Amino acid sequence: MGDGKVGFDIIATFSIQTTQIMGSIQLGIQHAIGGLASKPERDLLMQDFMTVETTNFPSEGSNHTPAHHFSEFKFKNYAPMAFRYFRDLFGIQPDDYLMSMCSAPLRELSNPGASGSIFYLTDDDEFIIKTVQHKEGEFLQTLLPGYYMVN
């Protein structure tokens, strides 16, 4: 599998087997949501929509990441403050989101998208994750401010 972007509200770059992608997504989400808990809520700024936080996850772990049995990977968290705002707007509590996304293995949906995207479903059927190519991820990121302006 070539480099791709994994998208939902957090996008990551991987080139590993799908079972490792699913587990890596879950580790990345746990880390990202946990990191947001320490950041105070505030009004969004335009720069929040373009923010990309990159975290390396070595297999042996680090001072900031847990050890894991997957290949080393890099997790890119796109617009974390903006997506926290959107989750709050829709009443999605951080604990509920983490339980849905990370408490059980994700399921890969059998029909890949026309673009070669892979879809994953949370065990409780609450969320779908779609992998996207780099250009599509960049395009989706440019749409975020418009969703904020509507509210």
Side-chain angles (χ1 to χ4, degrees):
M1 175 185 261
D3 282 349
K5 296 260 180 187
V6 177
F8 173 64
D9 70 29
I10 298 175
I11 306 171
T13 304
F14 298 99
S15 58
I16 52 180
Q17 295 177 7
T18 190
T19 55
Q20 291 189 15
I21 292 173
M22 290 186 287
S24 299
I25 289 169
Q26 290 176 308
L27 279 174
I29 288 172
Q30 286 174 324
H31 183 268
I33 300 301
L36 276 175
S38 65
K39 295 181 181 178
E41 293 196 28
R42 59 170 173 73
D43 290 336
L44 291 180
L45 306 171
M46 281 307 290
Q47 68 197 36
D48 291 327
F49 297 102
M50 300 315 294
T51 300
V52 179
E53 297 175 353
T54 302
T55 305
N56 290 318
F57 283 79
S59 297
E60 66 277 4
S62 71
N63 291 337
H64 305 287
T65 62
H68 55 86
H69 60 276
F70 305 114
S71 300
E72 181 172 337
F73 66 95
K74 183 185 301 184
F75 190 84
K76 291 188 178 183
N77 187 358
Y78 287 71
M81 296 293 282
F83 280 112
R84 178 172 74 177
Y85 168 83
F86 293 127
R87 285 190 302 274
D88 288 347
L89 183 67
F90 288 99
I92 301 170
Q93 298 299 313
D95 290 346
D96 294 337
Y97 182 66
L98 282 173
M99 281 296 290
S100 184
M101 294 297 279
C102 303
S103 66
L106 300 171
R107 297 186 317 244
E108 183 175 346
L109 299 179
S110 59
N111 289 337
S115 65
S117 296
I118 302 169
F119 291 86
Y120 299 104
L121 184 63
T122 57
D123 191 55
D124 61 5
D125 297 329
E126 289 292 318
F127 298 99
I128 294 175
I129 298 170
K130 176 189 176 193
T131 65
V132 296
Q133 296 298 317
H134 182 73
K135 287 289 185 193
E136 185 179 357
E138 286 179 344
F139 174 71
L140 292 171
Q141 194 173 12
T142 66
L143 297 178
L144 287 177
Y147 285 100
Y148 179 67
M149 301 304 219
V150 171
N151 293 303

